[in-house]
Amino acid sequence: MSAFVLAFVVGALFALGTFLLLRRDLIRVVWGLAIVSQAANVYLLAMGGIELGGFETVPILASHGEGVPETTDPVVQALVLTAIVIGFGMTAFALVLSYRVYEEHDTLDASELGDRE
């Protein structure tokens, strides 16, 4: 049941991000790009999975006796954390760039920006 909900959430995030990317307003395009980026992060975390840990995969668990807890792959989590930080920086830069475009052209409409010479 939770896999179905997670798949629905990832699909909805990708759909919303794609919808926003196709808008004419630059701010909505920036938000669409940020949402697609976060949807990819959620997808990667979901595909990381939870596995039964073993003493050969997690050596520190050898002192815990017979009850080995479930573990996840830490590489996926580290990559997603890095992607979140990079995505935040990219979103901040795109918003500042959009503000600069608004100051120069007094509009954020992409079709009006394309018509100017």
Side-chain angles (χ1 to χ4, degrees), residues 97-108 113 116:
L97 196 60
S98 299
Y99 180 70
R100 182 71 177 146
V101 166
Y102 179 74
E103 282 184 340
E104 288 288 324
H105 301 288
D106 293 327
T107 186
L108 289 175
L113 291 172
R116 296 179 185 223

Side-chain angles (χ1 to χ4, degrees), residues 48-86:
I50 297 175
E51 299 175 358
L52 184 62
F55 300 126
E56 60 278 348
T57 58
V58 187
I60 194 76
L61 296 177
S63 63
H64 285 282
E66 293 297 320
V68 179
E70 294 179 339
T71 60
T72 61
D73 187 11
V75 174
V76 175
Q77 294 175 359
L79 289 174
V80 168
L81 181 63
T82 304
I84 289 170
V85 171
I86 292 171

Side-chain angles (χ1 to χ4, degrees), residues 4-47:
F4 176 73
V5 172
L6 192 58
F8 179 75
V9 167
V10 169
L13 283 174
F14 272 115
L16 178 64
T18 303
F19 175 76
L20 289 174
L21 278 173
L22 297 175
R23 300 289 96 199
R24 291 172 27 179
D25 188 23
L26 282 180
I27 300 298
R28 289 185 180 154
V29 170
V30 170
W31 282 112
L33 193 60
I35 290 174
V36 167
S37 172
Q38 294 305 316
N41 292 338
V42 171
Y43 175 73
L44 285 174
L45 279 178
M47 294 299 110

